[in-house]
Every structure is written in structure tokens, then in C-alpha cells.
Amino acid sequence: MKFHTKYLWFNTERKREYINITREVEEALRESGIREGMVLVSAMHITAGVYVNDAEQGLIEDIDEWLESLAPFRYDYKHHLTGETNGDAHLKSLLVHHEVIIPVTDGRLDFGPWQQVYYAEFDGQRRKRLIIKVMGE
Amino acid sequence: MKFHTKYLWFNTERKREYINITREVEEALRESGIREGMVLVSAMHITAGVYVNDAEQGLIEDIDEWLESLAPFRYDYKHHLTGETNGDAHLKSLLVHHEVIIPVTDGRLDFGPWQQVYYAEFDGQRRKRLIIKVMGE
Amino acid sequence: MKFHTKYLWFNTERKREYINITREVEEALRESGIREGMVLVSAMHITAGVYVNDAEQGLIEDIDEWLESLAPFRYDYKHHLTGETNGDAHLKSLLVHHEVIIPVTDGRLDFGPWQQVYYAEFDGQRRKRLIIKVMGE
């Protein structure tokens, strides 16, 4: 069994941002030389997420509005008694989830026609990290 | 390490449908000959999901109503400027998630008493695909 | 490839409870002797979840209130025609998800600074089970 581990860093300009990282994941897969197995892509912070969906700008805006409606920014989260103001970012992370597993077949991401991997930042404007771990043979 | 990859196709009669695929996943596991490891079950479309829960008809109707209440069909999603009308299906897919990992122990799905795998279609009436990838030894 | 499988049992005092199981997962990893790979942590019941987020008490209360607002206890779920009263617990489980995959690098959980693994009980006061499966080399 072979393993290839890689970390990506982000420092977004805006608080919330959705970044297509499909190419970076494909690059990590190429570097690994793995032909069969899987790629784990996982945010290393609790105010960010990783998801698989479409690379369509209108949809990304819909997703952002929808997440804000279901897990809104508010002043009165109990978490804010710690001095933080990012309670909503924790809830958005839970909703979207912090990781995906992508199947690898014949040396490529075994995706359907429109699937793309996104890093979803919910509390940006500072350095955050993500792990890509390719596992297989 | 051994791998066994299989694809299932769906073409549902209704827009939204919930299909118990536990038997198909068990069959893929048997074919693989794998005794220890995991099964990745992942929708290959961005308007479908995969989840593990109970095979109880009333509950499935509750799940469908609940998903519609949290990620409703609407005309005014920005995604619809592309000509699509399935913005809600993308959001439902994000909510339910598109994949699960099932542990394999002693050659069987290591499930609790009521766990079943479901394919959740949110934009059906056309051919859609799902991947089952068994990995282990 | 090596495997190490372990089951944890819970019997919570309250209906809903959030239990930090990071130490138990780390212990399973140590027992396995695995240095590279992953840990699958998965609830074996359909009214519980597993998630990765912060160990901060206020936040845990926020998460609980938020889950109750999005997937509330109600009398009129169709699932209750079976005699059950835990429809909300099934929906909370879908929202939070029932499993996580944690990367393992150099013999440790490859987590960011604040990531902790939680077992989320949504229908407790009875014995429930969770599986930890360490896989790798």
C-alpha cells in the first residue's frame, strides 16, 4: 500500500470563499503514482469545509446564500462568550462537512461529468490548512 | 490490497426517489472476496446523494419533506440563469452528502441492526450513475 | 495492509448528548501500530452521528440548539406511526452524518489544532454502539 500526503494553505481575501481545488487534488494523485484507491481531502480547521459539486458561479452564490440562511451569522451564539465571533462558521462547517473521499480508478479521480472538489472557507482572512492524502496501490 | 469497482445506473420514474441499495453493495462485497476493509459508495452526479439510515417508509417520507423544507424547489436560484431548474437538487445533495464509507469486517458490512444504504435521487427521470468501490484484503 | 477494529458502547443519561471520543480514537490507533492510513469512526445506529469540531462547551450548546431548530422534535412525523417517537433523531443524524474518516500520518491523527472527534447521541438513554476501524500500514 502506498501513501502520499500533501497540505494546501489558504488565506482568503473574504470571510467566506469557495475555491475549486480539483486540479490540486489531481496533481497530488499524479505525484503519488497510485492507480487504484482513494483520495481523502479534509479541512484541518473547524470553520471550513470540503464538498463535491458543480463549478458554476450562480450555484456557488446559491450555496453561499443557502448556508447563510440555515446557519446565519448571529451575535448571540454561546460560543461568542469565548471572545470569538465565528459561531456561524462552525455550524456551516458541520452542514457542508469537513471532508470527502474520492475514488481513484486507473490513475484518475473516478468522478462523474460535473463533479469538482471545493474548499469552502467560512472564517477566512487568515492562514488555514487542508490535507490531501492519497492511499492505494 | 485488493480493489473491486462497480457502477450502478438509475433512471427513476419520479424527480425525487430513495432507493435501498444495501443488497447491491453486499453483492459487490461478495464479488470482491475482501474480508477486511471498507466500501466507498458515492453518487457520480451533483444532484443525488448517498446516506445510511432506516428502511422505513414513513421515515423516508419524513426525510423527503424535511429536505424539501430546508432546500426547497424555487424558481429564483441564480443557478437557473444557466437554463437549469434543479438548484434545489444541488442543495439537497450537499445536505445529505454524496458518499458514505462502510466498514467491512469478517467479509460483511459491519452495520448496526437498522443501518441500510440509500441512493437519494433529487433530479431523476434520466440516467444517473453511482460508484461502489470495495477496498481491503 | 493492517486493520484494527474496536467498538465503543454508550448509554447516555440524557436523550441528546455530545461526547468527545478523541482519546478513545487515539488509543485505538496506538493499539493498531499503524503509522500511515486512516481511521473510520462510524455510528452503528441511525439516530446518532459522528463529527469533527471544537471541544468548546458554548459551541456544543449552540450546535444542539441549531440541530433542534433545523430538525425539531415533533409529534407528527410519519415515522411515528410505527410507535416510535424519534423521527427528529433520524433527521439530526442525517444532518450531522454518521461517520468521519480521519487521516493518520506518522502514527498520529493528522488533525489541525482544534479538531476533536465527537459522538453525537440524539436518542439516548439506551445502549448504542460505534465502530472505530483503523486501516493502513
Side-chain angles (χ1 to χ4, degrees):
Chain A
M1 196 176 181
K2 289 204 287 189
F3 303 94
H4 179 57
T5 305
K6 200 171 171 175
Y7 305 93
L8 299 186
W9 288 92
F10 302 91
N11 194 342
T12 59
E13 277 179 39
R14 281 162 293 156
K15 271 279 171 201
R16 301 208 301 274
E17 223 162 281
Y18 304 87
I19 300 166
N20 190 336
I21 57 171
T22 313
R23 252 176 305 194
E24 284 81 356
V25 174
E26 287 171 339
E27 196 185 312
L29 174 56
R30 266 195 306 276
E31 291 163 3
S32 75
I34 286 169
R35 305 284 305 166
E36 284 290 324
M38 78 204 98
V39 189
L40 170 59
V41 184
S42 187
M44 299 181 79
H45 292 260
I46 53 203
T47 51
V50 176
Y51 69 81
V52 167
N53 214 288
D54 199 353
E56 198 278 300
Q57 190 51 43
L59 178 69
I60 291 169
E61 290 169 40
D62 291 331
I63 290 171
D64 184 63
E65 279 175 33
W66 176 69
L67 290 171
E68 182 59 23
S69 75
L70 292 188
F73 176 83
R74 280 171 34 197
Y75 286 102
D76 61 345
Y77 288 117
K78 292 194 179 68
H79 182 50
H80 296 177
L81 297 173
T82 61
E84 299 271 7
T85 55
N86 61 4
D88 69 303
H90 289 269
L91 303 181
K92 288 178 173 93
S93 167
L94 284 176
L95 192 52
V96 151
H97 283 268
H98 74 290
E99 35 103 319
V100 297
I101 293 270
I102 306 162
V104 171
T105 307
D106 289 335
R108 60 185 175 73
L109 303 181
D110 204 344
F111 265 163
W114 304 102
Q115 290 184 302
Q116 302 276 308
V117 200
Y118 273 80
Y119 173 72
E121 177 62 82
F122 300 124
D123 187 28
Q125 299 172 323
R126 53 200 180 94
R127 269 165 68 79
K128 309 268 289 256
R129 201 158 60 123
L130 171 141
I131 180 170
I132 300 173
K133 198 164 188 106
V134 192
M135 297 177 271
E137 280 191 354
Chain B
M1 197 177 182
K2 290 204 289 189
F3 304 93
H4 179 58
T5 305
K6 201 171 171 175
Y7 305 92
L8 300 185
W9 288 92
F10 302 91
N11 194 342
T12 60
E13 276 178 39
R14 280 162 294 157
K15 270 280 171 202
R16 300 207 302 272
E17 225 162 278
Y18 304 86
I19 300 167
N20 190 336
I21 57 170
T22 313
R23 252 177 303 196
E24 284 80 357
V25 175
E26 286 171 339
E27 196 185 313
L29 174 56
R30 267 196 304 277
E31 292 163 2
S32 75
I34 286 169
R35 306 284 305 165
E36 284 290 323
M38 78 204 100
V39 189
L40 170 60
V41 184
S42 188
M44 299 181 79
H45 292 260
I46 52 201
T47 52
V50 176
Y51 69 82
V52 168
N53 215 288
D54 200 352
E56 199 277 300
Q57 191 51 43
L59 179 69
I60 291 168
E61 290 169 39
D62 291 331
I63 290 171
D64 185 63
E65 279 175 32
W66 176 69
L67 290 171
E68 182 59 23
S69 75
L70 291 188
F73 177 84
R74 278 170 35 194
Y75 286 103
D76 61 345
Y77 287 118
K78 292 195 178 67
H79 182 49
H80 295 178
L81 297 173
T82 60
E84 299 272 6
T85 56
N86 61 3
D88 70 303
H90 289 269
L91 302 182
K92 288 177 173 94
S93 167
L94 284 176
L95 194 51
V96 151
H97 285 267
H98 75 289
E99 35 107 315
V100 296
I101 294 268
I102 306 163
V104 171
T105 307
D106 288 335
R108 60 184 176 73
L109 302 182
D110 204 342
F111 265 163
W114 303 102
Q115 289 184 303
Q116 302 275 309
V117 200
Y118 273 79
Y119 173 72
E121 177 61 83
F122 301 124
D123 187 27
Q125 299 172 325
R126 55 202 180 93
R127 271 166 67 77
K128 309 268 288 257
R129 199 157 62 122
L130 170 140
I131 181 170
I132 301 174
K133 197 164 189 107
V134 193
M135 296 176 272
E137 279 191 354
Chain C
M1 196 178 181
K2 290 204 289 190
F3 304 94
H4 179 57
T5 306
K6 201 172 172 175
Y7 304 93
L8 299 185
W9 288 93
F10 302 92
N11 195 343
T12 59
E13 278 178 38
R14 281 162 293 157
K15 271 280 171 203
R16 301 207 302 274
E17 224 161 280
Y18 304 86
I19 300 167
N20 190 336
I21 57 171
T22 313
R23 253 176 305 193
E24 285 81 355
V25 175
E26 286 171 340
E27 197 186 311
L29 174 56
R30 267 195 305 274
E31 292 163 4
S32 75
I34 285 169
R35 305 284 306 164
E36 284 290 322
M38 78 205 99
V39 189
L40 170 60
V41 184
S42 187
M44 299 181 78
H45 292 261
I46 53 201
T47 52
V50 175
Y51 69 82
V52 168
N53 215 287
D54 200 352
E56 199 277 300
Q57 190 52 42
L59 179 70
I60 291 169
E61 290 169 39
D62 291 331
I63 289 171
D64 185 64
E65 280 175 32
W66 176 69
L67 290 171
E68 182 59 22
S69 75
L70 291 188
F73 177 82
R74 280 171 34 195
Y75 285 104
D76 61 344
Y77 286 119
K78 293 193 178 68
H79 183 48
H80 296 177
L81 297 173
T82 61
E84 299 271 7
T85 56
N86 60 3
D88 69 303
H90 289 269
L91 303 182
K92 287 177 173 95
S93 166
L94 283 177
L95 192 51
V96 150
H97 284 267
H98 75 289
E99 35 105 318
V100 296
I101 294 268
I102 306 162
V104 171
T105 307
D106 288 335
R108 61 184 176 73
L109 303 181
D110 205 343
F111 265 163
W114 304 102
Q115 289 184 303
Q116 302 276 308
V117 200
Y118 273 80
Y119 172 71
E121 177 62 82
F122 301 125
D123 186 27
Q125 300 173 323
R126 56 203 179 91
R127 270 166 68 77
K128 309 267 290 256
R129 199 158 61 123
L130 170 140
I131 181 170
I132 301 174
K133 198 165 188 105
V134 193
M135 297 177 270
E137 280 191 353

